[in-house]
Amino acid sequence: MCRWLAYSGTPLILEEVLYRPKHSLIDQSLHARMGVETTNGDGFGIGWYATHARTPAVFHDVGPAWSNRNLQEIAGHVRAPLFFAHVRASTGTAVQQTNCHPFRHDRWMWMHNGAIAGFHLLRRSLLLGVDPALFSSIEGTTDSEAMFYLALTFGLDEDPPGAVARMVGFVERVADQHGVPAPMQMTIAVADGERTWVFRYASEGTPRSLYFSRRVDDLRALHPDTDFLKDVSDETRLVVSEPLGDLPGAWNEVPANTYGVVEPGRDLLDEFRPQLP
Amino acid sequence: MCRWLAYSGTPLILEEVLYRPKHSLIDQSLHARMGVETTNGDGFGIGWYATHARTPAVFHDVGPAWSNRNLQEIAGHVRAPLFFAHVRASTGTAVQQTNCHPFRHDRWMWMHNGAIAGFHLLRRSLLLGVDPALFSSIEGTTDSEAMFYLALTFGLDEDPPGAVARMVGFVERVADQHGVPAPMQMTIAVADGERTWVFRYASEGTPRSLYFSRRVDDLRALHPDTDFLKDVSDETRLVVSEPLGDLPGAWNEVPANTYGVVEPGRDLLDEFRPQLP
Amino acid sequence: MCRWLAYSGTPLILEEVLYRPKHSLIDQSLHARMGVETTNGDGFGIGWYATHARTPAVFHDVGPAWSNRNLQEIAGHVRAPLFFAHVRASTGTAVQQTNCHPFRHDRWMWMHNGAIAGFHLLRRSLLLGVDPALFSSIEGTTDSEAMFYLALTFGLDEDPPGAVARMVGFVERVADQHGVPAPMQMTIAVADGERTWVFRYASEGTPRSLYFSRRVDDLRALHPDTDFLKDVSDETRLVVSEPLGDLPGAWNEVPANTYGVVEPGRDLLDEFRPQLP
Amino acid sequence: MCRWLAYSGTPLILEEVLYRPKHSLIDQSLHARMGVETTNGDGFGIGWYATHARTPAVFHDVGPAWSNRNLQEIAGHVRAPLFFAHVRASTGTAVQQTNCHPFRHDRWMWMHNGAIAGFHLLRRSLLLGVDPALFSSIEGTTDSEAMFYLALTFGLDEDPPGAVARMVGFVERVADQHGVPAPMQMTIAVADGERTWVFRYASEGTPRSLYFSRRVDDLRALHPDTDFLKDVSDETRLVVSEPLGDLPGAWNEVPANTYGVVEPGRDLLDEFRPQLP
């Protein structure tokens, strides 16, 4: 289990979102409330798009986020219009930087909460599904990174929702071939620098929690005294594994088996259904 | 806040005590029950006396103990008759190896749970109390290490209980001079390779929790089926911040403001009272 | 021995200076030519002033710079008008983040190459010279950080060259009292966000190497095809432990026992002479 | 490029071999003489067989060996009859613990110096050759670990020289299929707790350097005053990437395209020839 946060909107110093709110993501690294585990201390990562580079920067480290000084330094001095942050609770794979989210390939960033059941059994077959030209770019051993490279294989560049649907369909078929039922538990965020797509899905039962912030103009009306809200555009949006604690009324649950697109203009929520690749 | 464990008795593979018991110290690094904080993920350390060396080995690392593979390797392959283990929750000082317990000087090992109130204010005056010949051996920035070097200054080599009493008396006097009331909260373990001394004290109120295991022959009578107990001598003893969970009836609380000596032959518990150096 | 670099001028992506040149600082971490040691693999650090923050960001890590991916990420995505970078070869003190340069206090950054002879003997007396109000901000164990806090004690805020002169005078007096001759070997860079001061001094003999870049308009005339030079202002300046290798004719040696000021308008070089505080 | 050392014989405190000799392996981590690179600072590892465990202990870390305090502690306090040590210079793959040698599987330890040319291109096809039941035990991304799992796949348990020959044959065939000529450069050590096998081979040209120590009784005659030699049995043997510096006349080169077996009784050197699996 992990906790993550995806921000997009008015360029903001990262710490405004990562550290300042009550029950911030950094606080969730030590005291998560809605996850399977309360502690997410097995590494962390952030990724952001700088205005002068096409590919995002990623910063990963293996200790807990709550005590990491470099994270605090970067978060306090970097400003970005689109950034991801992720705190990890390992489900068994090694605690190492190449297993930390967000993963990056070219202009894409990807992060995940959840797990593929029986991944140990399925790993080889899943990796065989990855485009051979992409194979050697895989550096870690997580299910999350394998899912990313499968989505890249199945067309992330052209059609993110379709590519993720085909990735899930592929994983479910491989699992079925190995006798593993209901393999997928996931919330995912993926961005290309302009837009962010988020997914909440489980092969069976309730998926991991996922929330998005209400429109900033609604929040401003609810919380006229909150400084942070004065400075950001109406289109600024947060998607989070569990609500940050400052703003009652600020959060809507992403419905189960749904995906959303966060982009300039109208956002979108739609049904998510796995497809066979 | 931290959690620690001191073992002495029949030489044992460390993992028997560190990993195997329910609610082991490694488990306490993630889920402590009796501490101020439930998570002790800000570094850890072990120290042990090998039969062929006069000074103990120490192994420190800055991540959480629960995911550290090197710790698991060492604990699974090193056997020792006297060892310490400590999981740290920083009270503000940097997470770095030189702030990890147990500290070592010559043949001595030292570890601590608790804090000196207002240490930030008192640090300079406390360090001035350290023997100038020892001063440059201080490598970290914790109150715990300062306490160790003060105890060495005040005669740890000849009279451990007296040296610790004078260290506490000195800290309380310096605190009083700076207007800091009731500065000391501590459980301490210190060993010289033959004996272990443990201390439980607070300047005011209840000190941090501390427990010692009952005599092994009593435990054997209570738990005739427990393998571990068959292999160790009657004099084997554990002192712990909080009980390991396997053995109901196995633990006695060290009374407040008391110290104990664990050594071959009869152990001792006596009143602990600070002295002026 | 260490290697360092101080940049000020037109805001630049850090990697342009840190990675791109032949014999860059990152290359010097593995293959220094002019230092006492060829390898500077005992930690590193960078520090930069962001436009939206008064105090600089610092990023430190304990492994070698040459293989650090986070450094590469940050250097590739952060743009700044004034930044420091430092690769460390420990002269004995622990390899830990709190011993990595640049050190920061409030708006000040400080980095150093060289050593105080006999620092082990002098450390206590030197630390006693630090303003008690600053004492608890010292987090590491290096001579370099002690020098920084002494300079802060002796008036860095009002008069940087005078404060450094008094720091050196104090160190030389303390060394003399302990029978340590000719204690100081140093090149230093210190910045407040607007200006950078650099120092090259030895109590005796030749100080460690130090070079500054010639005026950019001169360099442009020498190297009309170098892209990098087209984009930066005439006032852009680099000060380095040893020349980067791309630009023959680009570097002047800072004379021994001299200090310089890099600031908008005319730069300055003047004699450096220790003073008694 | 890397440097390694394999010891077997009379149980010895590791530091006697790792730190004490002139031009020791720890010294070679900073100043190798015979390798492609002089610095081997991209992680290191040791592995040893303890008398009370069937599988060896391994200790890996990502910084340079020369400054690692935990390595010094362990080497100073652990005694073993058979141990490996390895200092790494990455040829591009991530610096992380799961890429550090020696690798372990069950009772086997494996370490390597050299590289598979074009590994980036061949990686997927090589991993497809690994027994699916072993596939998920692969944790890192090095060619060295892939070679180990291929050797396990091709019968390491029953016939180490044959399994390594088939591994090399397989790699050469896959390389040929991808148009990569002369792919293999290797020295390898592999042990099962009783015996150690060493290999020196290149598909073309001169393989990386490899030396073994002469018989201890011969060395004693040459160096009657060397303490170390008085304490170890005649059968004690070191195999090293480059000679330790203390003992002139102590080292014989392993001939190119040869393997050796170090075991109680007579050692063996024989021709090494790749086979098709």
Side-chain angles (χ1 to χ4, degrees):
Chain A
M1 196 217 63
C2 310
R3 301 282 87 175
W4 59 254
L5 170 161
Y7 175 92
S8 55
T10 304
L12 206 65
I13 300 284
L14 277 51
E15 71 175 0
E16 295 282 343
V17 163
L18 290 185
Y19 285 85
R20 297 259 171 101
K22 278 183 211 149
H23 200 52
S24 71
L25 190 76
I26 303 307
D27 184 48
Q28 293 175 25
S29 70
L30 198 49
H31 301 293
R33 291 172 190 158
M34 306 181 75
V36 179
E37 286 284 351
T38 56
T39 308
N40 295 281
D42 299 331
F44 68 86
I46 55 173
W48 71 92
Y49 291 91
T51 48
H52 34 69
R54 185 171 155 275
T55 60
V58 291
F59 170 69
H60 297 142
D61 213 342
V62 295
W66 68 76
S67 63
N68 195 284
R69 294 186 174 198
N70 286 327
L71 176 60
Q72 214 168 345
E73 291 290 320
I74 294 167
H77 291 83
V78 165
R79 183 196 294 275
L82 199 171
F83 58 89
F84 282 9
H86 186 279
V87 293
R88 184 171 181 241
S90 167
T91 51
T93 45
V95 176
Q96 58 190 18
Q97 289 184 17
T98 53
N99 284 346
C100 290
H101 312 224
F103 300 98
R104 175 189 54 200
H105 185 83
D106 196 58
R107 71 181 198 277
W108 293 95
M109 285 205 296
W110 173 280
M111 62 184 172
H112 167 233
N113 173 29
I116 296 177
F119 180 61
H120 190 79
L121 294 172
L122 312 180
R123 187 178 160 210
R124 184 174 183 275
S125 301
L126 294 177
L127 292 180
L128 285 187
V130 172
D131 179 349
L134 293 171
F135 187 87
S136 278
S137 300
I138 299 177
E139 289 204 303
T141 51
T142 60
D143 48 2
S144 310
E145 190 190 20
M147 289 159 69
F148 181 28
Y149 278 88
L150 287 168
L152 285 162
T153 299
F154 296 138
L156 191 64
D157 261 327
E158 294 79 37
D159 169 20
V164 173
R166 288 184 286 275
M167 177 274 287
V168 175
F170 179 77
V171 171
E172 292 184 337
R173 188 177 65 193
V174 166
D176 187 58
Q177 288 160 351
H178 287 75
V180 173
M184 187 61 92
Q185 251 294 1
M186 71 178 210
T187 67
I188 283 173
V190 55
D192 66 357
E194 305 291 326
R195 285 176 295 178
T196 303
W197 292 261
V198 298
F199 300 82
R200 183 181 182 219
Y201 173 77
S203 302
E204 198 180 281
T206 307
R208 298 285 191 271
S209 59
L210 194 64
Y211 294 83
F212 61 99
S213 60
R214 289 174 58 170
R215 286 189 60 88
V216 169
D217 41 7
D218 294 350
L219 289 175
R220 251 189 234 113
L222 274 169
H223 304 278
D225 298 332
T226 300
D227 280 344
F228 163 62
L229 296 173
K230 294 175 187 158
D231 299 333
V232 299
S233 73
D234 288 358
E235 296 200 316
T236 293
R237 197 69 103 180
L238 272 167
V239 188
V240 295
S241 293
E242 58 184 80
L244 314 185
D246 270 329
L247 297 172
W251 304 97
N252 293 320
E253 198 176 25
V254 175
N257 306 333
T258 298
Y259 77 96
V261 190
V262 183
E263 60 187 328
R266 281 195 66 74
D267 296 344
L268 169 95
L269 273 183
D270 205 350
E271 188 190 4
F272 177 80
R273 200 180 298 177
Q275 297 168 20
L276 280 186
Chain B
M1 196 217 60
C2 311
R3 303 281 88 175
W4 59 254
L5 169 161
Y7 176 92
S8 56
T10 303
L12 207 66
I13 298 285
L14 276 52
E15 71 175 1
E16 295 283 343
V17 163
L18 290 185
Y19 285 85
R20 297 260 172 101
K22 277 183 213 152
H23 199 52
S24 71
L25 190 75
I26 302 308
D27 184 49
Q28 292 174 26
S29 70
L30 198 49
H31 302 294
R33 290 171 191 159
M34 308 180 75
V36 179
E37 286 284 352
T38 55
T39 309
N40 296 280
D42 298 330
F44 68 87
I46 56 173
W48 72 92
Y49 292 90
T51 48
H52 34 68
R54 186 173 155 274
T55 59
V58 291
F59 171 69
H60 296 144
D61 213 343
V62 294
W66 69 74
S67 62
N68 195 283
R69 295 186 173 197
N70 286 326
L71 177 60
Q72 215 168 346
E73 291 290 320
I74 294 168
H77 292 83
V78 164
R79 183 196 295 275
L82 199 170
F83 58 88
F84 283 8
H86 186 279
V87 293
R88 184 171 181 239
S90 168
T91 51
T93 45
V95 176
Q96 57 190 19
Q97 289 185 16
T98 54
N99 283 348
C100 290
H101 310 225
F103 300 97
R104 175 189 55 199
H105 186 83
D106 197 60
R107 72 183 198 279
W108 293 95
M109 285 206 297
W110 173 279
M111 62 184 171
H112 167 234
N113 173 30
I116 295 178
F119 180 61
H120 190 79
L121 294 171
L122 311 180
R123 187 178 162 211
R124 184 174 184 273
S125 301
L126 294 177
L127 292 180
L128 285 187
V130 172
D131 180 349
L134 293 169
F135 187 87
S136 278
S137 300
I138 299 177
E139 290 203 301
T141 50
T142 60
D143 49 2
S144 310
E145 189 191 22
M147 290 160 68
F148 181 28
Y149 278 88
L150 287 169
L152 285 161
T153 298
F154 296 140
L156 191 65
D157 261 327
E158 294 80 36
D159 170 19
V164 173
R166 287 185 286 277
M167 177 275 285
V168 175
F170 179 77
V171 171
E172 292 185 336
R173 189 177 62 193
V174 166
D176 187 57
Q177 288 161 352
H178 286 76
V180 174
M184 187 61 91
Q185 251 294 2
M186 71 180 210
T187 68
I188 283 172
V190 54
D192 67 356
E194 304 291 326
R195 286 176 293 178
T196 303
W197 293 261
V198 297
F199 299 83
R200 183 181 183 219
Y201 174 77
S203 301
E204 199 179 278
T206 307
R208 298 283 190 272
S209 60
L210 194 64
Y211 294 82
F212 60 100
S213 60
R214 289 174 60 168
R215 286 189 61 87
V216 168
D217 41 7
D218 294 350
L219 290 176
R220 252 189 231 112
L222 275 169
H223 304 278
D225 298 333
T226 301
D227 280 344
F228 162 63
L229 296 172
K230 293 176 188 158
D231 299 333
V232 299
S233 74
D234 288 357
E235 296 200 314
T236 293
R237 196 69 103 182
L238 270 167
V239 188
V240 295
S241 293
E242 59 184 81
L244 314 185
D246 270 329
L247 297 172
W251 304 97
N252 293 321
E253 196 177 25
V254 176
N257 306 331
T258 298
Y259 77 96
V261 190
V262 182
E263 60 187 327
R266 282 195 65 75
D267 297 344
L268 171 94
L269 273 183
D270 205 347
E271 187 191 2
F272 177 80
R273 201 180 298 176
Q275 296 168 22
L276 280 186
Chain C
M1 197 217 61
C2 311
R3 301 282 87 176
W4 59 253
L5 171 161
Y7 176 92
S8 55
T10 303
L12 207 66
I13 299 284
L14 276 51
E15 71 175 0
E16 295 283 344
V17 164
L18 291 185
Y19 286 84
R20 297 257 172 104
K22 279 182 210 150
H23 200 51
S24 71
L25 190 76
I26 302 309
D27 184 48
Q28 292 175 25
S29 70
L30 198 50
H31 302 294
R33 292 172 191 160
M34 310 181 74
V36 179
E37 287 283 353
T38 56
T39 309
N40 296 280
D42 299 329
F44 68 87
I46 55 172
W48 72 91
Y49 292 89
T51 47
H52 34 68
R54 186 173 154 274
T55 60
V58 291
F59 171 68
H60 297 144
D61 213 343
V62 295
W66 69 74
S67 63
N68 195 283
R69 297 187 171 195
N70 286 326
L71 176 60
Q72 214 168 345
E73 291 289 322
I74 293 168
H77 290 84
V78 164
R79 181 195 295 276
L82 198 171
F83 58 89
F84 282 9
H86 186 279
V87 294
R88 184 171 180 241
S90 168
T91 52
T93 46
V95 176
Q96 56 190 20
Q97 289 185 14
T98 55
N99 284 347
C100 290
H101 310 224
F103 299 98
R104 175 187 55 199
H105 185 83
D106 196 58
R107 73 181 196 278
W108 294 95
M109 284 206 297
W110 173 280
M111 61 184 172
H112 167 234
N113 174 29
I116 296 177
F119 180 60
H120 191 78
L121 293 170
L122 312 180
R123 186 177 163 211
R124 185 175 183 274
S125 301
L126 294 177
L127 291 181
L128 285 185
V130 173
D131 180 348
L134 292 170
F135 187 87
S136 278
S137 299
I138 299 176
E139 290 202 302
T141 50
T142 59
D143 49 2
S144 311
E145 189 190 21
M147 290 160 68
F148 181 27
Y149 278 89
L150 287 169
L152 285 162
T153 298
F154 295 139
L156 191 65
D157 261 328
E158 293 80 35
D159 170 20
V164 173
R166 287 184 286 276
M167 177 275 286
V168 175
F170 179 77
V171 171
E172 292 185 337
R173 189 176 63 192
V174 166
D176 187 58
Q177 287 160 354
H178 286 76
V180 174
M184 187 61 91
Q185 253 293 4
M186 70 181 211
T187 67
I188 283 173
V190 54
D192 67 356
E194 305 290 328
R195 286 176 294 178
T196 302
W197 293 261
V198 298
F199 300 83
R200 183 180 181 220
Y201 174 77
S203 301
E204 200 180 278
T206 306
R208 298 283 191 272
S209 60
L210 194 65
Y211 294 83
F212 62 98
S213 60
R214 288 174 60 170
R215 284 190 61 88
V216 169
D217 40 9
D218 293 351
L219 290 175
R220 253 190 231 109
L222 275 169
H223 304 279
D225 298 332
T226 301
D227 281 344
F228 161 65
L229 296 172
K230 294 177 188 156
D231 298 333
V232 299
S233 74
D234 288 356
E235 298 201 313
T236 292
R237 197 69 104 178
L238 270 168
V239 188
V240 296
S241 294
E242 59 183 82
L244 314 185
D246 270 328
L247 297 172
W251 304 97
N252 294 319
E253 197 177 24
V254 176
N257 307 331
T258 298
Y259 77 95
V261 190
V262 182
E263 61 188 325
R266 280 195 66 72
D267 296 345
L268 170 95
L269 272 183
D270 206 349
E271 187 191 3
F272 177 79
R273 198 179 300 175
Q275 296 167 21
L276 280 186
Chain D
M1 199 217 58
C2 310
R3 301 282 88 175
W4 58 254
L5 171 161
Y7 175 92
S8 55
T10 303
L12 207 66
I13 299 284
L14 277 51
E15 71 175 0
E16 295 284 342
V17 164
L18 290 185
Y19 286 85
R20 297 258 173 103
K22 278 182 213 151
H23 199 51
S24 71
L25 190 76
I26 302 307
D27 184 47
Q28 292 175 26
S29 70
L30 198 49
H31 303 294
R33 292 174 192 157
M34 309 180 74
V36 178
E37 286 283 351
T38 56
T39 308
N40 295 280
D42 299 331
F44 67 88
I46 55 173
W48 72 92
Y49 292 91
T51 48
H52 34 68
R54 187 174 153 274
T55 61
V58 291
F59 170 68
H60 297 143
D61 213 344
V62 294
W66 67 75
S67 62
N68 195 282
R69 296 187 172 197
N70 286 326
L71 176 61
Q72 213 168 346
E73 292 289 321
I74 293 168
H77 291 84
V78 164
R79 182 195 295 276
L82 199 170
F83 58 89
F84 282 10
H86 186 280
V87 293
R88 183 170 181 242
S90 168
T91 51
T93 45
V95 177
Q96 55 189 20
Q97 289 185 15
T98 54
N99 284 347
C100 290
H101 311 223
F103 299 97
R104 176 190 54 201
H105 185 83
D106 197 57
R107 73 182 197 278
W108 294 95
M109 284 205 297
W110 174 280
M111 60 186 173
H112 167 236
N113 173 30
I116 296 177
F119 180 60
H120 190 78
L121 293 172
L122 312 180
R123 187 178 162 211
R124 183 173 184 275
S125 301
L126 294 177
L127 291 180
L128 284 187
V130 172
D131 180 348
L134 292 170
F135 187 88
S136 278
S137 300
I138 298 176
E139 290 202 301
T141 50
T142 60
D143 48 3
S144 310
E145 189 190 22
M147 290 160 69
F148 181 27
Y149 278 88
L150 286 169
L152 285 162
T153 298
F154 296 138
L156 190 65
D157 261 327
E158 294 79 35
D159 169 19
V164 173
R166 287 183 287 276
M167 177 275 287
V168 175
F170 179 77
V171 171
E172 292 183 338
R173 188 177 62 192
V174 166
D176 187 59
Q177 288 161 352
H178 286 77
V180 174
M184 187 62 90
Q185 251 294 0
M186 72 179 209
T187 68
I188 283 173
V190 54
D192 67 356
E194 304 291 328
R195 286 176 294 179
T196 303
W197 293 259
V198 297
F199 300 82
R200 183 179 180 218
Y201 174 77
S203 302
E204 198 179 278
T206 307
R208 298 282 190 273
S209 60
L210 194 64
Y211 294 83
F212 62 100
S213 60
R214 290 174 58 170
R215 285 190 59 88
V216 169
D217 41 7
D218 293 350
L219 289 176
R220 253 190 231 110
L222 275 170
H223 304 277
D225 297 332
T226 300
D227 280 345
F228 161 65
L229 296 172
K230 294 176 187 158
D231 299 335
V232 299
S233 73
D234 288 357
E235 297 200 315
T236 292
R237 198 69 103 180
L238 270 167
V239 188
V240 296
S241 294
E242 59 184 81
L244 315 185
D246 271 329
L247 298 171
W251 305 97
N252 293 319
E253 196 177 27
V254 176
N257 306 332
T258 299
Y259 76 97
V261 190
V262 183
E263 61 187 326
R266 281 195 64 76
D267 296 344
L268 171 95
L269 272 182
D270 206 349
E271 186 191 4
F272 177 80
R273 199 180 300 176
Q275 296 168 22
L276 280 186

